[in-house]
Amino acid sequence: MSLRHAPWEEAAEFRIGLRPIPICDWFEGGEADLAKRKTGLLAADPSAVWSETPGSRPAQAEFLAMLSGALQRDITSDGRPPLLVAAGEVADDLCLMEKRGDAWRLTALSLCAGSFFTASEVIGRSLAELHRPVTGFEARLLTRVERIFDNLRPDTLLERRNWSLVSSPDLYAPDPGPMRAAIPDIDPDSAANALFARVERQTLRKLPQTGAVVFTIRVWIDPLSAIAADPERLARFARAWRTAHPDFRAYKQLNLYDALVSRVIDGV
């Protein structure tokens, strides 16, 4: 349940929001059969959920060794891409960033809960290119994010959370088109059960030998009805919705849900 992860209660705008957490809290778990979900997606459309670039295997292997230590069990790649093997051990999506020239680039990723993109679409992109769709990111945040990647220490684990509203409970959401097309057909009286808070819990950790950075993404989804059931939490959600920064609203396309959300938060 993502209700224990409620970033809308902290801010309704784009901000870096990274905070250090204990290394022992690197992964949250919480999925009973993650291998089944990820194996099925990999078999159905491998290029959508997995990609790597030449030269990324050393950093992949270093991360797999660190993951073995974190999970306290021996995990071997047996000739397979180490990051892909690692992805089968944790619920998170895994993104490997490496400094190539003067830019941090995505050199390998397993993406089985992607929010509106696929692995083949983003592999090899720089931080600037990855965040280009995010309204206002390049002007306000890019330089600061690059500095964080440059200066991150291997003994530091950073965490942040972000949120959006969607009309599907599916973790795997590579294309927003179908869910957005279905919005006009949602019964306003059922909006609380048809809309979902989608929370991404993200972490950053630098690998000490290769200097690569591993970016993890754990997606949690709850129906808006779970928030509406608690008047105090609904009031905080309503405040975040109404005061969201224009850049945040534009990127998340919150306007598509305004009429439906209003039916849920009217009177708050």
Side-chain angles (χ1 to χ4, degrees), residues 109-129:
L109 77 161
S110 171
L111 188 73
C112 293
S115 301
F116 310 157
F117 63 94
T118 65
S120 60
E121 291 171 342
V122 297
I123 189 67
R125 290 187 181 180
S126 67
L127 281 172
E129 293 164 341

Side-chain angles (χ1 to χ4, degrees), residues 47-89:
S47 67
V49 299
W50 166 254
S51 192
E52 63 179 331
T53 61
S56 65
R57 290 287 179 97
Q60 291 186 48
E62 184 182 8
F63 171 69
L64 182 60
M66 290 181 67
L67 181 65
S68 293
L71 300 181
Q72 298 184 338
R73 61 175 180 267
D74 187 36
I75 308 171
T76 58
S77 61
D78 295 326
R80 294 173 293 163
L83 193 75
L84 183 59
V85 173
E89 302 291 331

Side-chain angles (χ1 to χ4, degrees), residues 18-33:
L18 286 164
R19 66 185 185 95
I21 62 172
I23 296 295
C24 61
D25 293 337
W26 197 0
F27 298 97
E28 292 185 327
E31 184 172 356
D33 195 355

Side-chain angles (χ1 to χ4, degrees), residues 32-168:
D33 195 355
L34 64 96
K36 180 179 179 181
R37 173 174 64 89
K38 292 191 175 186
T39 300
L41 289 170
L42 186 64
D45 193 355
S47 67
V49 299
W50 166 254
S51 192
E52 63 179 331
T53 61
S56 65
R57 290 287 179 97
Q60 291 186 48
E62 184 182 8
F63 171 69
L64 182 60
M66 290 181 67
L67 181 65
S68 293
L71 300 181
Q72 298 184 338
R73 61 175 180 267
D74 187 36
I75 308 171
T76 58
S77 61
D78 295 326
R80 294 173 293 163
L83 193 75
L84 183 59
V85 173
E89 302 291 331
V90 293
D92 308 58
D93 284 342
L94 303 175
C95 304
L96 185 69
M97 305 291 298
E98 296 183 80
K99 195 74 173 284
R100 298 285 174 85
D102 60 352
W104 284 94
R105 294 192 175 274
L106 184 58
T107 60
L109 77 161
S110 171
L111 188 73
C112 293
S115 301
F116 310 157
F117 63 94
T118 65
S120 60
E121 291 171 342
V122 297
I123 189 67
R125 290 187 181 180
S126 67
L127 281 172
E129 293 164 341
L130 288 168
H131 292 92
R132 190 155 290 152
V134 180
T135 309
F137 180 89
E138 190 162 359
R140 297 195 292 120
L141 300 175
L142 176 60
T143 299
R144 291 167 59 194
V145 171
E146 290 176 329
R147 191 178 301 121
I148 289 170
F149 272 66
D150 287 337
N151 296 329
L152 186 61
R153 294 168 52 90
D155 59 355
T156 299
L157 175 63
L158 300 179
E159 177 194 68
R160 70 181 295 270
R161 302 180 195 270
N162 65 30
W163 67 279
S164 60
L165 198 73
V166 295
S167 57
S168 169

